[in-house]
Amino acid sequence: MSHGNMNLTLKIWRQKNDKETGKLVTYPVKDISPDMSFLEMFDVLNEELINKGEEPIAFDHDCREGICGMCSMFINGRPHGPKRGVTTCQLHMRSFKNGDTIVVEPWRAAAFPVIKDLTVDRSAFDRIIAKGGFISVNTGNAQDANNIPIPKPDADASFEAAACIGCGACVATCKNSSAMLFVSAKISQLALLPQGRVEATTRVKNMVAQMDEEGFGNCTNTGACEIECPKGISLENIARMNREYFVANIKS
Amino acid sequence: MSKLDSKIPEGPLEQKWEKYKSSVALVNPANKRSLEVIVVGSGLAGASAASSLAEMGYKVKVFCFQDSARRAHSIAAQGGINAAKNYQNDGDSTYRLFYDTIKGGDYRAREANVYRLASVSANIIDQCVAMGVPLAREYGGMLSNRSFGGTQVQRTFYAAGQTGQQLLLGAYSGLQRQVGLGTVEMFARHEMLEVVNIEGKCRGIIARDLISGKLERHFGHAVLLCTGGYGNVFYLSTNAMGSNVTAAWKAHKKGAFFGNPCFTQIHPTCIPVSGDHQSKLTLMSESLRNDGRIWVPKKQGDTRKANEIPEDERDYYLERRYPAFGNLVPRDVASRAAKERCDAGYGVGNSKMAVYLDYKAAIERYGKTQAKKLNISNPTAEQLRVFGKQVVEEKYGNLFEMYEQITGENPYEVPMRIYPAVHYTMGGLWVDYNLMTTVPGLYALGEANFSDHGANRLGASALMQGLADGYFVIPYTIGAYLSKEISVKAISTDHEAFVNAEKDAQAIIDKLFAIKGTKSVDHFHKRLGKIMWDKCGMARNDKGLKEAITEIRALREEFWKDVRVPGTANDFNPELEKAGRVADFIELGELMCMDALNRSESCGGHFREESQTEEGEAMRKDEEFAYVAAWENKGNHTYEMHKEELKFEAIKIAARSYK
Amino acid sequence: MSNSSANFIQSSLGKKLLMGLTGLFLISFLVVHATLNSFIFAMDGGDLFNQGAHFMATNPIIRIMEIVLFIGIILHIVQALVLTLKNQKARPVKYAVNDGKANSKWYSRSMGILGSLLLMFLVIHLSHFWVGTKAAQFGGTIDEHNTYIEIIEVFHNPLIVLVYLLGVISLGYHLAHGFQSSFQTLGLNHPKYTPLVKLAGLWFSILITIVFAAMPISVYFGIVK
């Protein structure tokens, strides 16, 4: 079945599981349409592999519209590929040229062990959220939603931080595999809201402690995460987290 | 006559839920600690139910096939969530939300459930805001609302075009809090493959650890299926790639009736298909219809570019046909109208299977308002355009970006092209007022059940229903059942029912590998999708549905003879996961066609060509079809339909008109 | 030390804070050092410069600050080592292709290398000037010690001048990232002021580089005699 006229060489990381070492394997793909998404191009390749009796490439993906945060490919040295502000599923083949060689690797971090091929385990993020990325309000506790007016700029800033999709591109691109953009986004979202201030002190301490325990690296402020974040989460959040953390430690 | 008891409480509509809450049996805190609840699915319904039940003291286990609870497909909902808050002082009320929902659902939903949904809607907003969900605000610090497809009041709360994401992350944060507290045990990358019934009650599940491939047995005093909809039966839909019917279907095969399977919502504002490589369709929020105008050229087969077609040669067909609601008619009406125009040869774009959604007028209008706000008395046309674009960007920026991303066209300059796509399934497991299926102890919440949207769902109602079920309904209704289960000790998973269920699940896996056929799973899925879209899609007829049933049966045979599943079972194997899901979709597809065939009326998302008015509008047959079709699986691909008659006491059933 | 302060110092953010604070402190020292260096351009045969150097070598407060300075440097280096090791461990398998330049400045990614170069330079630098001064101090000959002449002699060697220039350029790049980075680390990021901080950081780094480079160059080329 012909789709388009791009021919590409893919070098894809194949790794059986977290115990075995992996390697880059070269796959040519033909007749790719520029209107395909990067993942649809992988679908075509996988279909070919299945038809040849080979095992298809395992990669994470789900919503394919840039919001679930599941897709996670490191493409030609950049998370989610060469385009800014998109996830892998939103990257289209028109961003590449006929004849290109494309290297695809999984997110690499000690805290994100490889499950298989391009699939990694990001449950460290869930464990960090479980330590404090919430407001402790049981169902039924709430007062009327308009009882706490929230200045629009605060609500907007909180929303911008909350737009994080937890994909892990920040960790993947950071030279230190630091998770600070992810963690600080959640801390900021809640720190900016009056209802989130109540637990601000314990939240930042507990979340940072868990982040450290998971084995993420430290932040050296290169700013790569902000550039590569598909949702444009700002470095300001990391500064806010630092501030919150210092104040929290001075207080108690 | 019926096996179906909807268990609707007695009394006047508006008092049913209040009375129910005051009289439902409670479980004391000490007993809750020894009662175990399994929640399958971690979207809005699942996450909110799990966290609420855990807060109450139940021991909860949550399963999701994604790598994290946060990725459930509720996350992709864009537009908003309805609530009868009447913050805008525009005449909204619980009754009006209830009325709109029943009417929007084309009188095929159960009054009592919908009224309850409307009455808890306000609590949802309160709860989410308290949990830190950053919903949009006005400058005074109060919550902002917008109007949404199918209603005349502004009752929709939103967070830019990412409302579902924000609500899901809120529910997820509540869930993770319980995980941290140890009251919820989370099983990500696990897929439910069987329910386990013991002595007529649901007592657990068999789940596959998707990484190790091991089958696991889990006991629960009750099991909640919050597994979403089955739109992927059409292959192309706005659902996530992993969205599936497997959990609901396995439950169906173990005794849970399937309600109104043919009720599929086709969403009017999706980005058109660009080629045969397409793996999914992308929805653009219906909120775009608030400000955008939908049109096609008046001339058939017009090949001019959109901007070259003068105003008087454009047909704003929704405004023409439905002057009262215009571009805001409900989804089913808007979708069919687009299909009608395209089928008649007025479609646009390369495929000619698209209509225009135009923001030019909105940009001008907002530009003027903004200029007034800024006290600019004689703004230039350029200024107006800039101001207008700013306002539009503020409201819909991310949607416009997304459109440009996918199509490579700039929607601020040229009209967007849209076409309907499968989006939501109103049908689902039949549940009573308690949200319990026909299997005692087995519940279905959110999109997985059939209950609240009738034959068509209004915009911004899905998020509302998911959270209503999880936060405010199940915590009460589960007590009615569990209060009688307090003496039941946790059953060992060595019980033969668990052993047998695991064997069944294993048998299917073994069978799939044993075929060693020649065609990939996707190959069958695509073929199924084509049959479904062509013959059980936006419009259906007797002949097509009968053909579809035959074709699907043949496809099923072929699938079980010729599918190729690579790899092994004891490994992370996405192809195996897909194979199991597609096998279930094929069976479901057949049932959907049977249901559609049976319902020889047009209603909501189900347009039956034999049943239309002279003007081509859908014609309902209330005398014959004001019932829920609940299908019982009799084994070996045979089904028996049971009817739940729908009684309308508070609302007078009437023809739906948006003219 | 209470448990919680121990946790703080051992935490990633605590370590970062210490890097930032010591960095800023070292920056303040650089200001003093650069000011003093510029005294050679008084063109008075080194009188002003030697007075300054003498003051620095004998003032008791400066003597104490010198110890603090060394502690600062050591803390900065030790922390850097600890962090670098931790950061290395955070990515055991490296990327085959990593396009760092697409999203960050090379020097922001090379603080460890720049810092190591600086450390090597510092050893050479101290052996040139600080050791002599110390010897004079402890030998009781500090009043006769002429740093200016020492400088003129050292910087007649082109190789040394080259080493100094490399050292100073490393310093410039180290500062170009370090200056603004320390503000971010301290939590000082503001949409209005951060661009100013970044600009100030850039100019500061350039200025420091020029001032420090000026000395060996002008001595070597005989502008300063």
Side-chain angles (χ1 to χ4, degrees):
Chain A
M1 193 163 36
S2 163
H3 308 274
N5 49 15
M6 291 172 78
N7 295 333
L8 304 158
T9 306
L10 300 173
K11 292 186 172 178
I12 299 169
W13 186 261
R14 302 300 307 254
Q15 181 171 345
K16 201 160 166 41
N17 53 45
D18 63 335
K19 280 164 207 83
E20 294 180 30
T21 50
K23 62 171 192 290
L24 286 171
V25 178
T26 304
Y27 299 95
V29 285
K30 284 199 177 72
D31 303 330
I32 296 300
S33 154
D35 288 331
M36 276 182 196
S37 75
F38 200 79
L39 297 185
E40 284 167 350
M41 185 267 292
F42 261 73
D43 292 341
V44 171
L45 172 60
N46 270 351
E47 180 85 15
E48 258 179 53
L49 292 177
I50 294 168
N51 288 339
K52 277 196 275 183
E54 290 176 38
E55 210 173 326
I57 298 146
F59 62 95
D60 264 336
H61 64 112
D62 199 25
C63 80
R64 295 213 178 180
E65 51 185 283
I67 195 75
C68 76
M70 194 122 169
C71 60
S72 46
M73 292 186 186
F74 204 78
I75 302 162
N76 280 348
R78 298 183 69 182
H80 300 305
K83 255 194 118 161
R84 277 175 77 161
V86 296
T87 54
T88 305
C89 65
Q90 293 173 301
L91 177 69
H92 283 76
M93 296 315 293
R94 64 179 84 98
S95 297
F96 298 90
K97 290 193 307 289
N98 187 25
D100 276 359
T101 296
I102 307 173
V103 180
V104 189
E105 298 173 76
W107 284 178
R108 296 199 189 279
F112 289 168
V114 171
I115 291 171
K116 186 175 182 178
D117 299 338
L118 302 171
T119 309
V120 299
D121 176 2
R122 287 168 286 188
S123 53
F125 276 5
D126 291 321
R127 290 188 290 273
I128 294 171
I129 298 294
K131 289 290 173 180
F134 47 75
I135 291 173
S136 299
V137 50
N138 283 0
T139 305
N141 279 175
Q143 56 176 332
D144 186 89
N146 260 350
N147 275 4
I148 319 168
I150 300 174
K152 184 168 163 51
D154 290 354
D156 288 350
S158 174
F159 168 74
E160 276 164 29
C164 167
I165 56 173
C167 66
C170 46
V171 175
T173 196
C174 175
K175 70 186 262 291
N176 312 319
S177 303
S178 168
M180 291 210 189
L181 195 67
F182 168 80
V183 177
S184 69
K186 185 49 75 182
I187 286 170
S188 283
Q189 176 206 338
L190 299 175
L192 282 159
L193 301 171
Q195 58 270 49
R197 292 304 318 169
V198 181
E199 296 168 281
T201 305
T202 48
R203 174 181 306 120
V204 69
K205 283 179 148 186
N206 292 342
M207 287 179 76
V208 167
Q210 186 64 32
M211 171 179 80
D212 289 351
E213 198 176 311
E214 295 290 348
F216 292 104
N218 213 321
C219 174
T220 48
N221 304 328
T222 67
C225 53
E226 182 185 44
I227 305 286
E228 300 294 9
C229 173
K231 297 293 150 185
I233 306 290
S234 161
L235 274 187
E236 263 178 81
N237 293 304
I238 299 185
R240 188 179 291 106
M241 172 176 72
N242 296 346
R243 218 152 61 219
E244 291 279 331
Y245 189 70
F246 303 149
V247 171
N249 277 285
I250 290 164
K251 272 196 197 155
S252 67
Chain B
M1 64 120 219
S2 178
K3 282 192 185 175
L4 300 168
D5 177 4
S6 56
K7 300 209 176 78
I8 298 168
E10 294 300 314
L13 183 66
E14 54 281 2
Q15 285 170 28
K16 284 182 198 289
W17 180 235
E18 287 309 313
K19 276 172 90 173
Y20 177 99
K21 283 199 288 182
S22 324
S23 57
V24 67
L26 300 175
V27 180
N28 91 39
N31 286 331
K32 281 186 188 131
R33 281 195 289 275
S34 55
L35 289 170
E36 300 179 34
V37 181
I38 285 174
V39 179
V40 185
S42 65
L44 286 179
S48 59
S51 62
S52 302
L53 294 175
E55 284 159 13
M56 292 164 76
Y58 293 110
K59 280 167 76 176
V60 180
K61 285 179 175 177
V62 178
F63 296 79
C64 71
F65 72 81
Q66 297 92 341
D67 76 329
S68 160
R70 66 179 294 147
R71 310 212 195 277
H73 197 55
S74 308
I75 203 153
Q78 298 170 357
I81 176 167
N82 285 332
K85 278 283 197 186
N86 195 28
Y87 281 159
Q88 304 308 322
N89 198 29
D90 56 2
D92 199 9
S93 65
T94 298
Y95 183 85
R96 213 180 270 278
L97 174 53
F98 154 73
Y99 177 84
D100 286 348
T101 308
I102 290 280
K103 181 188 168 197
D106 230 357
Y107 305 94
R108 293 294 174 264
R110 199 187 279 152
E111 271 193 347
N113 285 51
V114 176
Y115 193 87
R116 174 176 66 189
L117 171 68
S119 62
V120 302
S121 64
N123 304 66
I124 298 171
I125 302 302
D126 298 341
Q127 182 65 30
C128 293
V129 166
M131 293 177 72
V133 174
L135 294 173
R137 301 248 165 196
E138 305 287 353
Y139 281 98
M142 298 300 156
L143 289 160
S144 174
N145 289 114
R146 58 184 168 203
S147 62
F148 217 81
T151 66
Q152 289 173 312
V153 290
Q154 296 201 332
R155 63 160 75 100
T156 304
F157 295 79
Y158 63 98
Q162 285 145 266
T163 317
Q165 180 202 23
Q166 293 308 314
L167 293 173
L168 180 68
L169 293 182
Y172 158 80
S173 75
L175 174 64
Q176 288 306 109
R177 175 174 158 238
Q178 296 305 318
V179 171
L181 293 169
T183 56
V184 169
E185 206 181 336
M186 186 72 217
F187 296 84
R189 292 198 196 266
H190 276 67
E191 179 158 39
M192 191 205 101
L193 293 181
E194 275 296 343
V195 293
V196 179
N197 294 338
I198 298 177
E199 287 161 15
K201 290 175 175 174
C202 183
R203 291 302 188 193
I205 64 166
I206 303 298
R208 181 169 177 266
D209 176 337
L210 298 182
I211 295 178
S212 69
K214 284 202 182 72
L215 293 180
E216 297 173 358
R217 306 170 193 171
H218 294 275
F219 164 80
H221 287 88
V223 173
L224 276 49
L225 300 184
C226 312
T227 49
Y230 48 85
N232 272 348
V233 70
F234 291 87
Y235 185 70
L236 284 181
S237 81
T238 65
N239 285 7
M241 301 303 284
S243 299
N244 67 80
V245 76
T246 289
W249 194 253
K250 300 297 187 197
H252 172 60
K253 288 176 117 172
K254 285 278 172 76
F257 292 5
F258 214 104
N260 296 334
C262 82
F263 284 166
T264 307
Q265 177 163 69
I266 316 277
H267 195 289
T269 52
C270 298
I271 298 175
V273 177
S274 74
D276 60 6
H277 53 79
Q278 194 112 3
S279 61
K280 80 153 267 160
L281 294 170
T282 304
L283 168 115
M284 289 189 303
S285 168
E286 180 169 29
S287 62
L288 286 171
R289 284 200 283 144
N290 289 339
D291 285 314
R293 297 180 71 194
I294 294 173
W295 62 276
V296 290
K298 279 186 180 163
K299 207 170 81 186
Q300 268 180 340
D302 199 329
T303 50
R304 286 175 291 178
K305 284 188 182 142
N307 290 339
E308 292 165 1
I309 302 177
E311 201 54 38
D312 60 352
E313 291 178 41
R314 299 176 177 193
D315 177 16
Y316 295 92
Y317 60 89
L318 285 177
E319 296 170 26
R320 170 170 60 78
R321 282 175 70 176
Y322 310 100
F325 280 70
N327 295 299
L328 292 178
V329 291
R331 293 177 171 177
D332 55 337
V333 179
S335 296
R336 272 199 304 277
K339 177 178 158 61
E340 187 276 326
R341 282 292 84 186
C342 293
D343 289 349
Y346 295 93
V348 301
N350 288 337
S351 63
K352 297 286 166 201
M353 291 306 269
V355 298
Y356 286 127
L357 174 64
D358 198 336
Y359 260 71
K360 194 156 166 264
I363 290 173
E364 278 166 20
R365 179 162 47 84
Y366 281 122
K368 282 182 194 151
T369 337
Q370 193 67 5
K372 262 187 211 148
K373 265 193 201 161
L374 297 167
N375 277 324
I376 299 172
S377 49
N378 284 315
T380 63
E382 183 53 30
Q383 269 178 319
L384 285 180
R385 251 173 50 81
V386 171
F387 292 149
K389 270 168 79 173
Q390 277 167 359
V391 177
V392 168
E393 191 177 351
E394 161 110 347
K395 287 190 145 188
Y396 308 106
N398 61 329
L399 299 172
F400 277 45
E401 252 174 58
M402 184 176 78
Y403 181 85
E404 185 167 3
Q405 193 69 59
I406 294 173
T407 62
E409 291 172 4
N410 178 357
Y412 293 100
E413 305 299 335
V414 294
M416 289 179 259
R417 284 173 295 113
I418 56 168
Y419 198 67
V422 173
H423 180 51
Y424 188 90
T425 45
M426 284 73 69
L429 293 176
W430 184 91
V431 291
D432 63 16
Y433 191 71
N434 295 318
L435 304 182
M436 197 195 276
T437 66
T438 43
V439 178
L442 179 65
Y443 293 79
L445 281 65
E447 192 180 349
N449 73 31
F450 86 104
S451 86
D452 294 353
H453 306 297
N456 172 53
R457 182 176 64 76
L458 290 182
S461 285
L463 301 181
M464 172 172 70
Q465 189 222 340
L467 289 177
D469 285 0
Y471 279 138
F472 297 110
V473 178
I474 198 70
Y476 292 93
T477 60
I478 203 169
Y481 176 74
L482 289 180
S483 60
K484 296 186 213 100
E485 299 291 317
I486 48 179
S487 58
V488 177
K489 295 266 174 322
I491 298 170
S492 160
T493 54
D494 293 332
H495 188 286
E496 63 165 346
F498 277 98
V499 176
N500 290 337
E502 187 184 312
K503 271 188 197 151
D504 291 347
Q506 187 63 50
I508 292 176
I509 293 171
D510 294 343
K511 197 172 158 191
L512 284 168
F513 278 114
I515 301 168
K516 298 190 196 313
T518 60
K519 299 196 178 76
S520 72
V521 177
D522 279 352
H523 167 88
F524 290 99
H525 197 177
K526 282 180 187 173
R527 280 171 59 192
L528 173 68
K530 181 151 172 46
I531 300 171
M532 294 301 291
W533 179 249
D534 288 346
K535 294 178 175 162
C536 194
M538 254 187 291
R540 299 135 185 210
N541 60 50
D542 186 85
K543 179 169 164 281
L545 288 166
K546 283 179 180 153
E547 285 167 8
I549 291 170
T550 316
E551 288 168 31
I552 293 171
R553 283 179 186 159
L555 186 71
R556 188 181 70 221
E557 299 278 316
E558 196 185 330
F559 175 88
W560 286 106
K561 275 195 200 114
D562 199 23
V563 74
R564 173 184 282 180
V565 182
T568 62
N570 305 317
D571 191 10
F572 180 59
N573 189 341
E575 281 300 312
L576 173 62
E577 296 164 28
K578 275 201 287 192
R581 292 169 192 162
V582 170
D584 292 334
F585 275 136
I586 294 175
E587 295 185 10
L588 167 77
E590 184 182 336
L591 181 62
M592 286 173 74
C593 293
M594 288 168 68
D595 185 44
L597 185 63
N598 166 67
R599 191 172 284 276
S600 60
E601 64 160 348
S602 292
C603 70
H606 169 66
F607 185 76
R608 190 62 186 263
E609 286 170 1
E610 296 90 338
S611 183
Q612 53 181 311
T613 66
E614 282 170 13
E615 294 159 301
E617 299 293 336
M619 196 166 71
R620 256 187 7 239
K621 295 181 186 164
D622 295 322
E623 297 289 307
E624 271 179 86
F625 290 103
Y627 64 78
V628 176
W631 296 84
E632 181 182 3
N633 194 315
K634 302 290 251 184
N636 208 19
H637 311 293
T638 57
Y639 304 87
E640 181 186 342
M641 190 189 69
H642 303 269
K643 291 182 186 176
E644 180 199 347
E645 298 296 337
L646 291 167
K647 294 186 200 73
F648 292 92
E649 289 161 358
I651 286 182
K652 206 171 136 288
I653 194 161
R656 206 161 58 123
S657 169
Y658 292 92
K659 298 223 173 216
Chain C
M1 202 185 280
S2 80
N3 208 3
S4 102
S5 359
N7 284 344
F8 174 70
I9 290 172
Q10 279 161 21
S11 73
S12 53
L13 293 198
K15 291 196 187 96
K16 240 166 88 110
L17 180 70
L18 200 61
M19 279 306 279
L21 286 176
T22 49
L24 276 179
F25 171 67
L26 297 178
I27 283 174
S28 73
F29 160 75
L30 287 177
V31 175
V32 177
H33 191 330
T35 312
L36 240 101
N37 277 19
S38 61
F39 285 0
I40 61 160
F41 297 107
M43 300 298 183
D44 55 359
D47 282 356
L48 182 64
F49 180 81
N50 273 336
Q51 275 172 36
H54 189 255
F55 171 80
M56 295 303 284
T58 54
N59 183 288
I61 295 173
I62 301 289
R63 305 267 28 88
I64 293 165
M65 283 314 290
E66 188 177 19
I67 296 165
V68 178
L69 176 66
F70 269 95
I71 294 172
I73 291 176
I74 289 165
L75 276 177
H76 198 75
I77 294 170
V78 169
Q79 259 334 339
L81 284 174
V82 171
L83 283 171
T84 305
L85 284 178
K86 190 185 165 191
N87 292 343
Q88 295 282 340
K89 242 175 68 183
R91 176 164 299 145
V93 183
K94 307 291 174 217
Y95 287 110
V97 178
N98 194 351
D99 189 3
K101 67 179 184 308
N103 51 42
S104 52
K105 300 270 195 302
W106 71 268
Y107 50 87
S108 76
R109 300 192 305 273
S110 315
M111 292 298 274
I113 294 166
L114 291 168
S116 308
L117 288 175
L118 272 178
L119 180 61
M120 288 189 268
F121 168 69
L122 198 63
V123 172
I124 298 170
H125 179 51
L126 290 180
S127 73
H128 280 149
F129 300 110
W130 183 76
V131 172
T133 314
K134 283 290 121 175
Q137 253 177 25
F138 291 107
T141 56
I142 191 68
D143 290 346
E144 295 98 65
H145 188 76
N146 191 331
T147 314
Y148 187 77
I149 291 177
E150 226 176 46
I151 286 170
I152 303 290
E153 283 167 5
V154 169
F155 291 142
H156 266 113
N157 182 339
L159 207 64
I160 290 179
V161 172
L162 193 69
V163 167
Y164 268 70
L165 286 181
L166 287 176
V168 163
I169 289 168
S170 303
L171 176 67
Y173 278 112
H174 199 76
L175 285 174
H177 178 68
F179 186 96
Q180 52 99 3
S181 171
S182 63
F183 283 79
Q184 166 79 6
T185 295
L186 296 180
L188 305 174
N189 185 323
H190 189 279
K192 196 164 157 192
Y193 302 111
T194 296
L196 295 179
V197 168
K198 285 191 172 170
L199 200 66
L202 187 65
W203 281 109
F204 177 78
S205 323
I206 294 172
L207 194 71
I208 288 281
T209 311
I210 292 172
V211 171
F212 279 146
M215 179 187 274
I217 290 174
S218 38
V219 171
Y220 181 73
F221 289 107
I223 299 163
V224 171
K225 289 175 199 148

